[in-house]
């Protein structure tokens, strides 16, 4: 489902006043952030006390649960994601404020950026799954796997990000931060580096072998049984083909092509 990005000025006056009251200072300027697909509002708010990043959705939106998911995950990913400062549910809107970080989006064509992503994914692979409600990998991809016994190997006790679009990776000086945890999942540790393979291929400049070589630098990748990773690659190809349908937009078409390419590389396309 496509979400239309609104400007800060499009919010009701009552919502903007509530945010200013929570900040304890007027909003001097609001800059809409174009990246991302989930939120209706995504803006850098500048005040006399500094800047914050606020994202939000109407409480009636079918995916408003993603706002709660981000708040719940945040305390468990300290150092891997910007810190949640506060949240408000006011006049039909759910808003979450994060510390504002001066950073740029990762470039998946730059080796230096990829090294920082490897470090972030390595740290995440050592992060136990928090005791909160999350989707489970073995359920999330069940529709795309034929053998339930193999599907059970997707299960695990690790916290997964699962949406490693380069726009969800911020490069800040000498480390990478992962943002947009809406699709956080509980599962086997090798799944995030496996998903990263598809994003690297889709970014261009990486064939499947090169993409897997980068994924293999993440220790969790080695926990994946190759036959199970084969099934996972086929599941990704099936999923993206379904999402793409007969008339995909360029972004979806690129990911579908990347997933098909990876599955063929592993002999399961």
């Amino acid at each position: 489902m496509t979400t239309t990005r609104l400007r800060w000025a499009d919010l009701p006056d009552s919502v903007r006043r509530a945010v200013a009251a929570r900040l304890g200072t007027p909003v001097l300027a609001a800059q809409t952030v174009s990246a991302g697909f989930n939120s209706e509002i995504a803006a850098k708010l500048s005040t006399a006390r500094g800047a914050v990043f606020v994202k939000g959705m109407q409480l009636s939106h079918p995916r408003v649960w993603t706002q709660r998911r981000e708040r719940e995950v945040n305390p468990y990913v300290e150092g891997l994601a910007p810190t949640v400062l506060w949240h408000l549910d006011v006049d039909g809107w759910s808003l979450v404020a994060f510390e504002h970080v001066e950073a740029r989006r990762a470039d998946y064509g730059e080796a230096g950026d990829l090294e920082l992503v490897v470090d972030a994914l390595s740290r995440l692979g050592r992060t136990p799954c928090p005791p909160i409600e999350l989707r489970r990998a073995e359920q999330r991809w069940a529709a795309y796997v034929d053998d339930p016994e193999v599907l059970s190997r997707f299960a695990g006790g690790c916290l997964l990000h699962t949406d490693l679009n380069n726009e969800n990776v911020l490069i800040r000086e000498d480390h990478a931060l992962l943002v947009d945890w809406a699709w956080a999942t509980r599962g086997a540790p090798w799944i995030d580096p496996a998903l990263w393979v598809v994003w690297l291929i889709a970014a261009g400049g990486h064939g499947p072998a090169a993409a897997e070589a980068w994924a293999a630098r993440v220790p969790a990748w080695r926990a994946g049984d190759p036959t199970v990773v084969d099934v996972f690659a086929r599941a990704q190809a099936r999923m993206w083909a379904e999402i793409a349908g007969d008339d995909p937009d360029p972004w979806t078409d690129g990911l579908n092509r990347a997933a098909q390419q990876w599955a063929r590389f592993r002999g399961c396309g």
Side-chain angles (χ1 to χ4, degrees), residues 12 17 21 23 37 40-41 46 52-53 59 63 77-78 100 110 118 127 157 162 169 179 212 220 254:
R17 287 196 300 269
L23 290 169
F37 297 99
E40 292 176 284
I41 287 291
S46 299
V52 297
F53 173 70
L59 288 168
R63 286 203 301 267
V77 290
E78 183 178 358
H100 178 261
E110 290 290 333
V118 166
T127 302
T162 79
V169 182
V179 301
E212 283 199 359

Side-chain angles (χ1 to χ4, degrees), residues 16-83:
R16 287 184 279 122
R17 287 196 300 269
V19 169
R22 184 64 182 80
L23 290 169
T25 185
V27 174
L28 302 178
Q31 178 183 349
T32 298
V33 176
S34 60
F37 297 99
N38 287 324
S39 300
E40 292 176 284
I41 287 291
K44 172 187 174 182
L45 304 183
S46 299
T47 77
R49 298 178 183 175
V52 297
F53 173 70
V54 174
K55 63 192 301 186
M57 305 175 78
Q58 295 180 73
L59 288 168
S60 60
H61 195 286
R63 286 203 301 267
V64 71
W65 58 268
T66 62
Q67 296 280 107
R68 183 184 71 253
R69 181 63 40 77
E70 292 222 58
R71 299 197 310 264
E72 292 174 341
V73 167
N74 193 259
Y76 301 94
V77 290
E78 183 178 358
L80 282 170
T83 301

Side-chain angles (χ1 to χ4, degrees), residues 6 29-30 51 53 69 96 101 162 195 203 232 243 251:
L6 304 175
F53 173 70
R69 181 63 40 77
V96 181
V101 296
T162 79
L195 289 169
F232 187 76
I243 293 171
W251 183 84

